[in-house]
Amino acid sequence: MRVDNSATKPQQEALQLDVAALRAETPGCRQVVHFNNAGCGLLATPVLTAMIGHLNLEARMGGYEAAAARADGVQAFYTELAALINTTPENIAFAGSATHAYANALSSIPFEPGDTILTTRDDFISNQIAFLSLRKRFGVRIVHAPNTPEGGVDVPAMAELMRTLRPRLVSATHIPTNSGLVTPIADIGWHCRELDLLYLVDACQSVGQYPLDVEEIGCDLLTATCRKFLRGPRGSGFLYVSDRVLRAGYEPLFIDMHGARWTAPGEYRPVDTAARFEEWEFPYATVLGSAAATRYAREVGLEAIAHRTPALAAKLRNRLAAIPGVRVLDRGPQLAALVTFAVNGDWQPQRFKEALDADNINSALSFREFAQFDFGDKGVDWCLRLSPHYYNTEEEVDHVADAIAELVRRPR
């Protein structure tokens, strides 16, 4: 799934955003230069209003009663996300995090000894650990498709592995947490559909950054968080479950009274929708905040976001590449708004980040543990990650680049 940044002038004008207005609705912009949107995006005022309003309502009338009074707003979580990724509300399940959604999805697959999980070398750390846990418990085989010389998975080679191994599951992370790489998930999905293979996509770093269409991707399951580029609250995520997975009877290992009906003393029946992957207890203020964040992203416009956000990252990447002593690490034919770089010399990672913190620049560290394959290939033990978003400015990009250049020159 690629975004064409070579738009004509009229198209570019149509994709222009009122950045000043967006910043005015983002209180954090007055405090920090927030280049850690791949960690948590800054909340917009409508998100704060929705959450605080519901907490006040709970305080006045009680939690159960407040949830009932806001039933339409809660349902908007499903309708807004369904519209965002081109599905129906019945195919969306709320989750406390993307990792929770991913674990629930994995738990629904009846793995047997000898089954193969086919994935990439650029997967998310928690997904890889989950696969290793499945190998320990069930004896599954984990196979990583090779990368191309320019970076990113070799899709034809992965397709050949699909044909020869007939994996029980194919999994891919759209954008890994430790790199700006964009994986061609729709190309992988085409081969999965052709071979009738189960396909799970981690879209944590792409939801809210790029338009996503689960029909175009061809995935059976897709997980994401709401706190990153979607700019929702922490403790929120979702799982998309395709109709064919629901019809096939997939259900999480530990299903509860929300996801199933106790039909007889010795029997239960899962509900027909993706709600079978949810639990009875919900953080309703968080659900309402996530609905507001999704609505906000759709109103801003995903095409405009996908045009501006990676462009800010590209400008930052170019500025950093020109700084002596800085090595930009991102590789691949398409790069998203995650910019990673290593620093020559004896800088300790935490001290480097703290120096940026002191300048009110938010960033994040990544370590070899987070990306054993990728960082091993690149020969680095740690890097700094910077991730701008559409409400950031070109002036902030220059400020951050200048601050890093000064840090690298500074005697330690």
Side-chain angles (χ1 to χ4, degrees):
M1 181 174 296
R2 297 179 180 274
V3 175
D4 184 3
N5 286 317
S6 60
T8 64
K9 185 174 181 180
Q11 289 171 327
Q12 289 176 342
E13 291 174 350
L15 294 174
Q16 293 300 309
L17 298 176
D18 187 343
V19 177
L22 293 166
R23 290 174 68 81
E25 291 185 326
T26 306
C29 287
R30 296 188 285 274
Q31 308 295 323
V32 294
V33 177
H34 188 68
F35 275 34
N36 190 19
N37 292 283
C40 286
L42 291 178
L43 299 183
T45 300
V47 180
L48 287 170
T49 300
M51 298 180 70
I52 293 171
H54 188 74
L55 289 174
N56 285 331
L57 189 64
E58 285 188 348
R60 293 198 305 271
M61 66 187 302
Y64 284 19
E65 293 75 11
R70 293 288 182 267
D72 289 345
V74 171
Q75 181 58 30
F77 171 83
Y78 302 94
T79 56
E80 290 291 341
L81 275 169
L84 186 75
I85 65 171
N86 187 31
T87 187
T88 70
E90 292 74 23
N91 295 97
I92 299 290
F94 175 82
S97 69
T99 299
H100 182 200
Y102 203 91
N104 258 4
L106 286 178
S107 80
S108 73
I109 303 170
F111 289 107
E112 296 180 355
D115 282 349
T116 296
I117 297 174
L118 176 61
T119 184
T120 74
R121 294 170 59 86
D122 296 289
D123 203 2
F124 180 52
I125 171 178
S126 293
N127 304 347
Q128 291 289 308
I129 291 173
F131 297 158
L132 293 170
S133 177
L134 288 169
R135 185 174 72 181
K136 180 190 295 185
R137 180 164 296 191
F138 296 112
V140 302
R141 179 187 180 194
I142 307 167
V143 176
H144 297 87
N147 277 1
T148 65
E150 68 175 330
V153 66
D154 185 329
V155 175
M158 191 175 192
E160 183 59 26
L161 289 170
M162 292 182 203
R163 285 187 285 271
T164 57
L165 299 177
R166 303 297 303 183
R168 185 69 182 84
L169 175 69
V170 177
S171 174
T173 294
H174 194 187
I175 301 171
T177 187
N178 54 281
S179 164
L181 173 74
V182 180
T183 300
I185 52 174
D187 295 345
I188 296 171
W190 187 90
H191 293 287
C192 289
R193 288 194 301 271
E194 179 189 38
L195 297 170
D196 194 27
L197 298 175
L198 191 68
Y199 184 30
L200 168 60
V201 170
D202 177 338
C204 255
Q205 299 289 4
S206 54
V207 166
Q209 182 179 174
Y210 289 121
L212 293 179
D213 183 333
V214 291
E215 294 299 323
E216 179 188 345
I217 296 168
C219 56
D220 297 288
L221 301 154
L222 180 142
T223 62
T225 184
C226 298
R227 65 177 159 87
K228 297 179 185 286
F229 289 94
L230 198 56
R231 303 180 61 192
R234 296 196 70 174
S236 60
F238 69 92
L239 168 66
Y240 157 76
V241 187
S242 69
D243 286 335
R244 85 163 186 157
V245 165
L246 292 172
R247 287 194 300 266
Y250 286 74
E251 62 185 66
L253 180 60
F254 298 108
I255 193 168
D256 82 348
M257 59 185 285
H258 180 80
R261 301 293 173 261
W262 197 12
T263 54
E267 298 177 3
Y268 74 90
R269 176 178 55 80
V271 298
D272 293 333
T273 69
R276 70 179 66 165
F277 287 88
E278 298 176 331
E279 289 85 36
W280 183 83
E281 181 56 39
F282 281 80
Y284 282 99
T286 300
V287 173
L288 291 166
S290 299
T294 308
R295 185 181 305 111
Y296 192 85
R298 294 183 60 227
E299 289 172 351
V300 172
L302 267 298
E303 292 290 347
I305 294 171
H307 182 75
R308 177 172 175 80
T309 298
L312 287 172
K315 175 180 171 67
L316 177 61
R317 212 173 271 117
N318 290 335
R319 283 292 316 272
L320 293 176
I323 300 172
V326 169
R327 176 187 165 203
V328 175
L329 301 174
D330 306 313
R331 300 172 60 229
Q334 183 187 1
L335 298 177
L338 286 76
V339 180
T340 59
F341 65 94
V343 180
N344 294 340
D346 58 357
W347 270 104
Q348 294 301 307
Q350 197 59 44
R351 291 193 64 186
F352 194 89
K353 182 182 181 302
E354 287 170 355
L356 290 178
D357 292 344
D359 199 13
N360 292 323
I361 297 170
N362 289 352
S363 62
L365 292 166
S366 279
F367 297 93
R368 175 74 71 99
E369 177 190 351
F370 298 175
Q372 291 285 357
F373 293 114
D374 186 45
F375 279 19
D377 292 343
K378 293 171 179 174
V380 295
D381 291 324
W382 69 275
C383 76
L384 197 83
R385 184 187 71 193
L386 298 168
S387 46
H389 208 358
Y390 60 85
Y391 55 78
N392 291 118
T393 66
E394 288 78 3
E395 291 76 16
E396 286 180 320
V397 169
D398 288 331
H399 172 68
V400 170
D402 290 342
I404 291 167
E406 175 61 28
L407 273 181
V408 174
R409 286 195 300 266
R410 183 186 303 173
R412 294 177 295 285

